[in-house]
Amino acid sequence: MKTRALVRAAFIIAFTALVVIIDGGDFALPWHPWASFGFGIDPHGNVTTVDASAAKAGLRTGEQVRLERMPPRDRWYLTATSIAPDGRLLRVPLSSGRIVTVVAHARPRTSIDNVTDIFSTLGAILYILLAGALVLMRPSPVTWAFYIFSL
């Protein structure tokens, strides 16, 4: 019986440590700028926001992006994340027939972005540590389910 408890404890400690290490890497994220193409679209492809770089390339608010004419990877950059590798070119076909080429450029992060990222990362780490401690103190199907859910 002692061997089983030691194996359980080793398992919980190892997996919890692994997840904490992976999540701990997110502390470096806030100070790295992220890149975007400088414009935002709604789910229907309407351009909602344009920064100076995208405006210089010829994109205007209110234009309609023809998403169906874009390769799936480019469509994913626009609709799923709006984040792209710095320097990546994107050809944006518009309903007016024009094709605008925009370049992903670094966007600085604000202090509030950094603070909220730190709090969310700390919250995730504390949540996982709590779940691991519960399984170690009171191993039951419910605490195991909570632990697996938290991972």
Side-chain angles (χ1 to χ4, degrees), residues 11-23 124-125 127-133 135 143-151:
F11 174 81
I12 297 297
I13 290 169
F15 274 95
T16 302
L18 177 68
V19 172
V20 166
I21 289 169
I22 290 170
D23 279 351
I125 289 172
Y127 186 81
I128 292 163
L129 291 174
L130 172 70
V135 171
T143 56
W144 275 102
F146 179 64
Y147 179 71
I148 290 169
F149 173 77
S150 71
L151 290 178

Side-chain angles (χ1 to χ4, degrees), residues 63-138:
E63 292 189 286
Q64 175 79 31
V65 177
R66 302 286 307 265
L67 295 171
E68 73 276 0
R69 299 176 87 193
M70 297 177 75
R73 183 176 183 179
D74 290 348
R75 241 187 342 249
W76 181 80
Y77 279 131
L78 288 183
T79 58
T81 63
S82 298
I83 298 173
D86 196 13
R88 183 172 190 335
L89 294 176
L90 179 70
R91 293 174 50 88
V92 182
L94 303 172
S95 60
S96 63
R98 293 184 312 129
I99 295 177
V100 177
T101 302
V102 292
V103 180
H105 52 282
R107 307 227 10 189
R109 297 179 57 91
T110 65
S111 296
I112 196 70
D113 287 336
N114 295 339
V115 170
T116 56
D117 282 351
I118 288 170
F119 282 134
S120 66
T121 302
L122 278 176
I125 289 172
L126 291 175
Y127 186 81
I128 292 163
L129 291 174
L130 172 70
L134 283 174
V135 171
L136 288 175
M137 291 188 304
R138 294 193 176 236

